Amino acid sequence: MTEPMAALRGYVQFLHERDGVRQVKLSRAARQGLATLAGKTKAAPVSNPPVAAVHDRRPAAAPVAPSRPAPVRQPILNPAAPVQSEPPIEITGSSKIEQLRHLEERAKACLKCSHLVSRRHNVVFGVGNPEAKLMFIGEAPGEEEDLQGEPFVGRAGQLLTKMIQAMGLTREQVYIGNIVKCRPDMPPGAPGNRKPTKQEMETCVPYLRAQIEVIKPTVMVALGATAVEGLLGPVGTIGSLRGKFLEFRGTPLMPTYHPSYLLRNQSNTEKRKVWEDLLAVMERLEMPISEKQRNFFLKA
Ligand code: URA
């Protein structure tokens, strides 16, 4: 990769790659930067294609060559300083559907985490009913979610879908979102997913806060420690928090184990713990609970 291309890397949205030719879309900031540069150097006007092909013959997942940025005056950063909290995202539109659509458009155009932008296939905004009484909050998209553009569609997601159905609901009746909307990048070829960093969570969580403000669910479920931390900060371990309602901006929040924990620990004891958390949620929502539902996972 040539040096100017390496420098542009954070400003392009990766679309797809075939035979080593990458199709990328330049961000507005990159296009404006190029136009300004062209104006200053009195070069011929820069054409402004929304989509550009970038020839990069290295294997798709090869590590990014470090770019050598032009010398600019940088503020001195204190690595120990707390991460700056992001301002709230403005909510526009006259209906919940419209407000969510506007938020989704903004999230899809978001370029704040350039290292995630350059690798994402999709921004995984959220899915479900804008009028949902119940909202599930996860951590971040995994590989499958990144490819499909929908939260919780991989193995853990299939288990979550079963849990929702066991409550007598469908995915279409609830709303499902994540703290972070882009897949946390992994080293090339590395299996699995990684937890988002504190910085990634702080940067992205305003989208989720805005989603919550629009949807106004009656109850929320935080799936795993990262979901709790993303909303409330480091308040405790998931083992100590689960089973008791917390509160996020006045809305009851039930912390429970992430479905991927249940995939790793398939004992009825652990399944029952999560199920009891969901029974408490059903009670809070004044949902009917059958005898059969009350007894799920009671037998060892
Ligand atoms: N795990 C999460 O926390 N969120 C997803 O969307 C998928 C897996």
Side-chain angles (χ1 to χ4, degrees):
M1 185 180 282
T2 60
E3 216 166 84
M5 271 326 300
L8 272 177
R9 195 176 174 85
Y11 297 96
V12 299
Q13 183 187 353
F14 177 66
L15 297 178
H16 60 257
E17 170 166 331
R18 187 174 298 146
D19 298 329
V21 179
R22 289 184 176 189
Q23 291 289 322
V24 299
K25 189 168 148 193
L26 294 183
S27 72
R28 186 182 305 179
R31 293 202 301 270
Q32 280 169 353
L34 286 173
T36 310
L37 201 61
K40 274 195 187 136
T41 54
K42 300 210 180 331
V46 175
S47 65
N48 194 17
V51 176
V54 177
H55 294 261
D56 181 352
R57 293 280 164 196
R58 292 172 321 134
V64 179
S67 61
R68 196 177 309 152
V72 285
R73 209 180 281 268
Q74 292 281 1
I76 297 166
L77 296 176
N78 170 7
V83 177
Q84 291 296 308
S85 46
E86 293 277 324
I89 295 184
E90 194 192 350
I91 295 169
T92 56
S94 51
S95 67
K96 287 188 179 189
I97 292 180
E98 199 183 14
Q99 289 168 348
L100 287 175
R101 205 186 48 214
H102 289 177
L103 286 173
E104 181 164 10
E105 280 162 10
R106 288 194 59 174
K108 287 191 166 160
C110 182
L111 300 169
K112 287 179 187 164
C113 305
S114 58
H115 60 296
L116 304 187
V117 172
S118 61
R119 301 224 173 185
R120 74 187 176 201
H121 293 91
N122 280 295
V123 173
V124 182
F125 178 68
V127 72
N129 191 338
E131 303 287 344
K133 301 253 173 295
L134 176 58
M135 189 161 170
F136 288 90
I137 294 159
E139 176 175 306
E143 189 175 11
E144 204 52 50
E145 288 77 18
D146 171 55
L147 291 173
Q148 294 191 36
E150 184 170 329
F152 282 99
V153 288
R155 279 185 72 222
Q158 285 158 24
L159 180 52
L160 176 64
T161 304
K162 283 189 190 160
M163 286 155 55
I164 293 168
Q165 288 166 348
M167 297 172 82
L169 296 168
T170 63
R171 273 175 80 99
E172 291 71 35
Q173 286 175 296
V174 303
Y175 195 92
I176 307 173
N178 280 312
I179 301 287
V180 170
K181 311 295 190 208
C182 294
R183 184 187 184 210
D185 57 334
M186 294 290 289
N193 300 306
R194 72 163 169 85
K195 179 182 160 173
T197 64
K198 185 168 163 23
Q199 176 78 64
E200 289 161 351
M201 290 199 277
E202 294 262 355
T203 304
C204 204
V205 79
Y207 291 110
L208 179 67
R209 290 195 196 121
Q211 284 170 292
I212 295 169
E213 200 174 324
V214 170
I215 295 165
K216 297 193 180 18
T218 310
V219 178
M220 299 191 290
V221 176
L223 299 163
T226 308
V228 179
E229 188 186 332
L231 288 174
L232 301 177
V235 287
T237 64
I238 192 69
S240 66
L241 295 173
R242 62 145 288 273
K244 296 174 286 275
F245 278 104
L246 301 171
E247 214 176 85
F248 174 77
R249 298 185 175 175
T251 304
L253 175 73
M254 173 58 82
T256 195
Y257 290 124
H258 192 281
S260 62
Y261 170 83
L262 291 183
L263 290 175
R264 296 192 302 272
N265 301 275
Q266 301 210 3
S267 73
N268 271 7
T269 318
E270 296 312 285
K271 288 181 189 167
R272 177 69 196 178
K273 286 181 191 167
V274 173
W275 183 241
E276 280 178 5
D277 301 343
L278 297 183
L279 284 174
V281 166
M282 290 170 73
E283 275 166 9
R284 185 61 80 100
L285 288 169
E286 299 179 1
M287 289 172 62
I289 304 178
S290 69
E291 210 42 39
K292 190 173 165 201
Q293 281 173 316
R294 287 219 179 269
N295 293 331
F296 278 165
F297 309 115
L298 272 183
K299 287 191 206 102

